Amino acid sequence: AQSVTQLDSQVPVFEEAPVELRCNYSSSVSVYLFWYVQYPNQGLQLLLKYLSGSTLVKGINGFEAEFNKSQTSFHLRKPSVHISDTAEYFCAVSDLGGGSYIPTFGRGTSLIVHP
Amino acid sequence: NAGVMQNPRHLVRRRGQEARLRCSPMKGHSHVYWYRQLPEEGLKFMVYLQKENIIDESGMPKERFSAEFPKEGPSILRIQQVVRGDSAAYFCASSPTGQGTDTQYFGPGTRLTVL
C-alpha cells in the first residue's frame, strides 16, 4: 500500500522569498509522483509530475520538484513566490498496488504568501 | 474544450434526504474518480468507475453511498438518508486511460451541507 506524508500543514512566507513544500511517500513498488494546486473554491489542477527520467521536474508557474528515491521524497520548490501562489498544495503518488492506479493524496500544505 | 463539469456547485439537504451529485468528465475521458474532501483531512478516494462499470469502490462507505457511470450521461454519486457527517466537498476527476501516468482533471466540486 502506498502513503504520502506532507510534513507541513501550513507554510507562511513573504512575497519574493523562496519556498519548499515537503512530501515523503512510501511504496513497495515503483511510483509516479504528482503535485497539484487548489485555489480557493476550485478543484485541483496539476502543477507537475514525475514519471521517469530526470529527477528534476519543472512545472507551471515557476515550480519545480526533485525526486529523491533514496529519501523517498518529492519536495516542491519555487525560488521566488508571488501573492497569487497562495493556495493549498497536494502531493500524490500512484502505483499498481491493488491492481489499479488509484492515486493517494497527502493532506495538503497551505502556502500563505504575505506582502 | 470543456473541462470536468460538476453540478450542483452547492447543495443543501436536511438530515434523511437524498443527495445526488453529477459529474461530466472531459471529452474523450472514460475514467471517473470521486473524492471527498473534509477540512484538514485532504482528499479521500471514494470510487473509480469506467463507463457502466465500477472498478474500485474501496473508499466508499458500505451503506447509503452508491455511484454509477452509465453509457450515456454523467456519473452520479448518490447519498441516501444524509447525515451531518456527510457535509463535505465532493470532487470528481477524470482521466483518459486509467494508467498511473495519467493526470487527473478535477471538476470544481460540489459542496454538500447537511442541516
Side-chain angles (χ1 to χ4, degrees):
Chain A
Q2 63 210 24
S3 67
V4 178
T5 302
Q6 290 184 246
L7 296 162
D8 306 298
S9 59
Q10 209 173 76
V11 173
V13 64
F14 286 106
E15 195 173 19
E16 296 183 11
V19 71
E20 178 179 83
L21 305 183
R22 295 180 292 170
C23 172
N24 287 86
Y25 68 92
S26 68
S27 174
S28 57
V29 297
S30 296
V31 297
Y32 304 113
L33 294 156
F34 304 78
W35 275 99
Y36 287 83
V37 60
Q38 184 182 30
Y39 298 104
N41 298 315
Q42 294 185 27
L44 281 68
Q45 61 188 85
L46 182 74
L47 271 179
L48 49 79
K49 63 182 176 181
Y50 171 78
L51 305 181
S52 65
S54 172
T55 57
L56 184 64
V57 182
K58 293 192 184 295
I60 62 171
N61 301 342
F63 284 93
E64 63 181 33
E66 185 152 21
F67 170 54
N68 188 319
K69 189 174 182 179
S70 62
Q71 296 188 7
T72 60
S73 68
F74 190 54
H75 301 331
L76 181 71
R77 301 186 186 100
K78 186 169 181 178
S80 175
V81 294
H82 300 286
I83 295 283
S84 59
D85 292 323
T86 295
E88 194 83 14
Y89 291 80
F90 292 91
C91 181
V93 60
S94 71
D95 65 27
L96 195 48
S100 60
Y101 290 101
I102 308 294
T104 297
F105 287 82
R107 295 178 74 157
T109 297
S110 179
L111 176 63
I112 303 167
V113 181
H114 297 287
Chain B
N1 252 347
V4 178
M5 312 278 283
Q6 287 188 252
N7 65 80
R9 293 291 307 272
H10 299 274
L11 183 61
V12 179
R13 286 287 178 265
R14 296 191 181 280
R15 281 179 296 171
Q17 291 185 318
E18 178 179 286
R20 277 184 179 237
L21 288 62
R22 285 175 290 277
C23 168
S24 297
M26 280 188 74
K27 189 175 180 182
H29 288 191
S30 58
H31 301 259
V32 166
Y33 309 77
W34 284 94
Y35 296 89
R36 176 162 62 180
Q37 184 178 39
L38 290 163
E40 313 296 326
E41 288 191 22
L43 220 57
K44 299 293 186 188
F45 166 73
M46 299 182 74
V47 62
Y48 164 35
L49 310 104
Q50 276 184 272
K51 282 285 186 183
E52 301 183 273
N53 289 306
I54 295 174
I55 307 301
D56 186 326
E57 56 181 350
S58 58
M60 286 274 271
K62 293 284 185 277
E63 296 176 352
R64 302 186 298 110
F65 285 72
S66 62
E68 63 177 10
F69 189 15
K71 189 176 180 182
E72 301 291 336
S75 175
I76 306 281
L77 179 67
R78 184 178 173 212
I79 312 172
Q80 295 178 290
Q81 298 174 357
V82 296
V83 300
R84 290 226 173 99
D86 297 332
S87 294
Y90 292 83
F91 289 94
C92 163
S94 73
S95 74
T97 70
Q99 295 299 305
T101 51
D102 273 4
T103 295
Q104 298 219 327
Y105 294 84
F106 283 80
T110 294
R111 278 149 185 85
L112 173 66
T113 302
V114 180
L115 301 177

